Amino acid sequence: MIELKQLTKTYKTRNKPTTALANLNLSVQKGEIFGVIGHSGAGKSTLIRCINLLERPTSGEVWVGGVNLTSLGQKELQIQRRKISMIFQHFNLLSSSTVYDNIAFPLTLIRTPNSTIKAKVMELLSLVGLEEHKDKYPAQLSGGQKQRVGIARALASDPDVLLCDEATSALDPQTTDSILNLLLDINKRFKLTILLITHEMHVIQNICDRVAVIHDGDIVEQGPVAQVFLKP
Ligand code: ADP
Ligand code: ADP
């Protein structure tokens, strides 16, 4: 579902260029939960931002669902990007919009009829357990509830791929577990492919099928979680 081929990203700063990704190859199968773990500065956020081309790789190819995204023009890319959703460490909700409108947002962008939006948003509110909170604003919610809104918004466009950028790093352990369980449930229910980046081993061991360890911009080890991180 996701293929990264010889991916290189070099940031050109004033003083010296930084190579964040160096000829990285990665393959994520349809329906799996794949985790990328590594220390700060290893290249995790550059990697995840390259998948939907929020960040343009310096060289190499990004394939999602059999399409070479790096070969597309802006218009085609916009269409393909709807298959790829993302959730964030700090949720990135619209603070002056209600829970309902935050979840509806991706659908209003593509001019979906209001009745379709309403049915979809109500279904998603139920999925993430926030029906009672639909008229609240983000500031009135707990961290876990905010991430549930983020997840519902990400699912509104019926994506094939969900990218999770340190999605539980701002949450306490108990809330982290409830969000991970929700992600697992969504993965099973919709056969959604999930790629997550994290610096927390706990996240990997809890929900990932396979894991890759990233170090200095390249994958240094990968495989099934139990194999890469043998339990003593
Ligand atoms: P991680 O998410 O694992 O902490 P990053 O992808 O953020 O790693 O960073 C990888 C490397 O690229 C680091 O050396 C970081 O300083 C550098 N880097 C990341 N973003 C930028 C940027 N916008 N400009 C310059 N250097 C960057
Ligand atoms: P517009 O501003 O385009 O008229 P709205 O965003 O006010 O549209 O509403 C669009 C649709 O979503 C309407 O059918 C409305 O009933 C429904 N809707 C909007 N907000 C809520 C909400 N908080 N709870 C339930 N339905 C809502």
Side-chain angles (χ1 to χ4, degrees):
M1 180 58 74
I2 305 172
E3 292 266 3
L4 306 179
K5 301 181 184 178
Q6 296 288 313
L7 206 64
T8 294
K9 174 70 189 185
T10 304
Y11 293 105
K12 291 189 178 54
T13 45
R14 257 178 306 155
N15 308 329
K16 60 175 178 69
T18 307
T19 298
L21 301 175
N23 283 312
L24 181 145
N25 293 292
L26 189 68
S27 177
V28 178
Q29 305 305 311
K30 184 173 165 52
E32 77 176 329
I33 304 185
F34 194 104
V36 176
I37 191 167
H39 293 300
S40 174
K44 299 182 299 295
S45 46
T46 303
L47 170 69
I48 205 162
R49 290 163 57 83
C50 276
I51 294 172
N52 52 14
L53 299 196
L54 270 177
E55 202 72 74
R56 273 271 166 195
T58 308
S59 63
E61 294 177 357
V62 176
W63 292 72
V64 176
V67 178
N68 180 0
L69 299 186
T70 30
S71 75
L72 300 180
Q74 204 52 41
K75 206 165 191 169
E76 280 173 290
L77 178 60
Q78 248 173 34
I79 294 166
Q80 291 299 327
R81 264 196 188 130
R82 285 179 207 148
K83 298 196 287 190
I84 310 169
S85 287
M86 194 156 172
I87 58 173
F88 306 89
Q89 178 173 8
H90 298 294
F91 323 118
N92 295 12
L93 302 178
L94 302 168
S95 58
S96 55
S97 297
T98 62
V99 165
Y100 180 99
D101 289 333
N102 266 281
I103 299 171
F105 184 66
L107 297 174
T108 54
L109 273 186
I110 55 172
R111 295 167 206 270
T112 310
N114 270 342
S115 57
T116 311
I117 292 182
K118 186 163 187 176
K120 186 73 190 179
V121 174
M122 295 321 253
E123 177 196 324
L124 289 167
L125 281 165
S126 152
L127 178 78
V128 301
L130 289 180
E131 298 104 317
E132 312 283 282
H133 303 283
K134 69 179 170 60
D135 297 323
K136 288 188 180 169
Y137 290 86
Q140 298 171 278
L141 303 176
S142 69
Q145 289 171 333
K146 285 181 202 166
Q147 195 57 292
R148 285 171 186 273
V149 178
I151 291 169
R153 177 182 59 185
L155 296 178
S157 51
D158 290 321
D160 295 329
V161 171
L162 178 64
L163 304 175
C164 307
D165 184 357
E166 297 277 5
T168 55
S169 298
L171 305 174
D172 63 60
Q174 205 178 337
T175 310
T176 291
D177 284 346
S178 80
I179 294 296
L180 294 179
N181 284 334
L182 177 60
L183 290 175
L184 198 56
D185 178 39
I186 288 163
N187 162 258
K188 298 269 172 291
R189 202 186 290 223
F190 304 116
K191 308 245 182 298
L192 184 70
T193 306
I194 299 181
L195 176 80
L196 63 87
I197 60 168
T198 183
H199 63 278
E200 295 174 307
M201 182 67 84
H202 172 76
V203 170
I204 301 286
Q205 290 186 326
N206 233 310
I207 63 164
C208 293
D209 301 307
R210 288 198 301 146
V211 61
V213 181
I214 186 171
H215 182 73
D216 280 349
D218 200 5
I219 305 294
V220 291
E221 201 168 347
Q222 66 175 307
V225 174
Q227 194 176 307
V228 173
F229 298 112
L230 272 180
K231 287 188 182 161

